[in-house]
């Protein structure tokens, strides 16, 4: 607070609107995504489809972490899994459940491929923690 | 005198800015999920003119999260986070859900396995990490962790299953190693210091013989 005051005093009051604008941006800039959302975009953009958004919150209501990260073999580091539709069709990765038996099948493209074009892959939506330097 | 007035002016300006922001903070399309339900009875002693505090809705709509494409025709089929999460045990941060409490209380009963032959391993063993400088000692409870995860998720890829073999520190955790592989990404965030740093040093000293 004291530092902010000192800076304002040194720069003069004409910069006050600028300071207030910075303050305002910090308050109203929306928190992107839900905590733990993962964007998968190894090949979606190149293939001309929307990137995949994986909502951790939705899945952990129904499955414990160990089902996907132990039984299915999903690595716990975002980006470490090269998930391809051809693999899913063979029952690997998401395809183990998304097969119209446990969950809806792979023909429902838009339910997974729901992100904005151009999103970088990785974990999004870190409420409070903006995220480790590396995931 | 001049100093005080400068301070007052700034405080007034910030207050005015804050009030302005409070107005901007609620977009019209933000559906109020948390306000649904029967209206609570007004306490008789409170004057009727006092407005009741607005409940805070921490979950964004999928269309507003800057991640989902609003043009996607399938978007309305997806469940809104608020719809699923508002009914679970509350927490201050992350998904605003205390997932461990939600599991314990039976609010959620996520499947433990898909293959019938998979062995479900749960272990009840607390580990104290005492090298925490001025902070309270860290108690790592295996039980809630193994209720969600399998031993192999951490051992020995992230943590070597041997006492003293893991040079864990907060810098590495904040970089996404050790605990930070999940905490700060999907499990409760690293700002909730006291959930890990939970045992006062004096208490540990009493437990350990001289």
């Amino acid at each position: 607070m004291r530092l902010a005051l000192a800076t304002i005093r040194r720069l003069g009051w004409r910069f006050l609107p600028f300071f207030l604008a910075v303050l305002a941006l910090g308050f109203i800039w929306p928190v992107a995504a839900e905590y733990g959302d993962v964007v998968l975009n190894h090949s979606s953009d190149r293939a001309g489809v929307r990137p995949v958004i994986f909502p951790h919150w939705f899945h952990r209501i129904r499955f414990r972490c160990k089902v996907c990260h132990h039984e299915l073999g999903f690595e716990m580091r975002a980006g470490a899994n090269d998930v391809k539709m051809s693999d899913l069709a063979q029952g690997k990765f998401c395809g183990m459940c998304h097969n119209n038996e446990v969950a809806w099948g792979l023909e429902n493209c838009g339910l997974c491929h729901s992100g904005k074009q151009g999103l970088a892959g990785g974990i999004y939506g870190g409420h409070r923690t903006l995220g480790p330097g590396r995931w | 005198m001049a100093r005080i007035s400068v301070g007052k002016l700034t405080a007034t300006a910030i207050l005015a800015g804050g009030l302005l922001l409070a107005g901007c903070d609620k977009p019209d399309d933000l559906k109020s999920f948390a306000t649904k339900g029967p209206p609570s009875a007004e306490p008789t002693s409170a004057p009727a003119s006092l407005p009741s505090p607005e409940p805070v809705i921490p979950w964004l709509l999928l269309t507003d999260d800057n991640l989902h494409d609003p043009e996607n025709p399938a978007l309305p089929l997806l469940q809104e986070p608020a719809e699923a999460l508002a009914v679970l045990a509350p927490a201050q941060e992350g998904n605003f859900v205390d997932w461990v409490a939600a599991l314990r209380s039976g609010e959620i009963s996520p499947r433990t396995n898909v293959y019938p032959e998979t062995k479900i391993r749960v272990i009840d063993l607390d580990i104290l990490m005492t090298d925490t400088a001025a902070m309270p000692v860290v108690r790592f409870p295996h039980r809630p962790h193994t209720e969600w995860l399998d031993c192999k998720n951490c051992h020995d890829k992230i943590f070597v299953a041997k006492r003293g073999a893991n040079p864990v520190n907060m810098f590495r955790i904040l970089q996404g190693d050790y605990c930070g592989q999940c905490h700060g990404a999907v499990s409760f965030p690293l700002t909730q210091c006291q959930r890990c740093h939970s045992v006062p040093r004096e208490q540990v000293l009493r437990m350990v013989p001289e």
Side-chain angles (χ1 to χ4, degrees):
Chain A
M1 192 66 203
R2 192 181 287 175
L3 186 76
L5 267 180
T7 318
I8 289 176
R9 216 172 288 153
R10 202 177 309 143
L11 289 175
W13 288 97
R14 62 212 146 106
F15 286 103
L16 189 64
F18 169 73
F19 276 106
L20 284 178
V22 169
L23 203 72
L25 269 182
F27 272 108
I28 61 172
W29 204 254
V31 181
E34 184 56 37
Y35 188 71
D37 278 357
V38 185
V39 170
L40 290 86
N41 198 358
H42 267 229
S43 44
S44 296
D45 262 355
R46 262 181 288 142
V49 290
R50 296 183 177 89
V52 169
I53 298 175
F54 172 82
H56 260 112
W57 63 268
F58 183 93
H59 288 84
R60 70 183 295 182
I61 292 174
R62 293 152 179 84
F63 296 92
R64 301 183 197 223
C65 320
K66 53 177 121 184
V67 172
C68 299
H69 290 295
H70 174 56
E71 288 190 292
L72 264 82
F74 268 107
E75 289 288 333
M76 298 218 279
R77 184 77 72 189
N81 304 286
D82 193 12
V83 185
K84 288 198 171 70
M85 285 307 295
S86 51
D87 288 333
L88 306 199
Q90 314 229 329
K92 287 186 192 153
F93 295 122
C94 327
M96 182 161 137
C97 294
H98 286 284
N99 52 8
N100 281 327
E101 283 171 31
V102 182
W104 40 263
L106 299 175
E107 66 278 10
N108 302 285
C109 316
L111 294 180
C112 288
H113 291 273
S114 57
K116 289 181 174 173
Q117 289 279 352
L119 281 174
I123 295 217
Y124 280 71
H127 175 258
R128 279 297 184 90
T129 322
L130 282 176
R134 179 174 83 88
W135 260 316
Chain B
M1 190 66 195
R3 240 174 212 216
I4 292 167
S5 66
V6 164
K8 272 185 184 166
L9 205 71
T10 320
T12 320
I14 287 174
L15 202 70
L19 283 176
L20 227 138
L21 291 174
C24 308
D25 221 358
K26 281 168 253 144
D28 292 333
D29 54 346
L30 194 68
K31 280 183 214 156
S32 152
F33 287 96
T35 48
K36 277 181 188 169
S40 55
E42 285 281 324
T44 45
S45 56
S49 58
L50 269 181
S52 57
E54 282 277 318
V56 181
I57 306 138
W59 300 281
L60 281 177
L61 286 177
L62 294 180
T63 44
D64 297 342
D65 68 359
N66 266 342
L67 211 62
H68 287 86
D69 185 356
E71 307 289 311
N72 177 11
L75 195 57
L77 293 172
L78 295 177
Q79 189 181 30
E80 291 289 346
E83 191 193 342
L85 303 181
V87 294
L88 301 180
Q92 295 303 307
E93 292 168 352
N95 293 121
F96 300 95
V97 171
D98 186 335
W99 289 102
V100 171
L103 183 68
R104 277 278 161 77
S105 65
E107 287 176 353
I108 54 171
S109 45
R111 286 174 69 164
T112 53
N113 55 312
V114 177
Y115 299 126
E117 65 273 17
T118 303
K119 209 174 164 215
I120 309 303
R121 302 188 284 185
V122 176
I123 173 179
D124 193 1
L125 169 71
D126 284 358
I127 306 287
L128 289 178
M129 303 184 191
T130 53
D131 195 6
T132 53
M135 288 294 284
V137 164
V138 170
R139 181 179 71 91
F140 171 84
H142 267 96
R143 203 181 136 196
H145 285 88
T146 48
E147 278 168 0
W148 286 101
L149 291 152
D150 187 76
C151 314
K152 275 198 171 167
N153 286 127
C154 304
H155 299 307
D156 287 327
K157 257 191 275 177
I158 305 175
F159 291 98
V160 180
K162 182 169 177 265
R163 195 174 68 176
N166 303 285
V168 184
N169 64 61
M170 280 312 295
F171 181 78
R172 294 288 300 276
I173 292 173
L174 284 158
Q175 286 292 303
D177 294 325
Y178 298 117
C179 324
Q181 187 129 359
C182 297
H183 288 283
V186 287
S187 340
F188 67 77
L190 300 171
T191 39
Q192 300 204 312
C193 316
Q194 78 294 344
R195 281 185 75 173
C196 298
H197 291 271
S198 56
V199 188
R201 194 161 293 275
E202 306 78 58
Q203 197 181 321
V204 179
L205 282 172
R206 278 200 298 274
M207 286 157 57
V208 182
E210 299 256 331

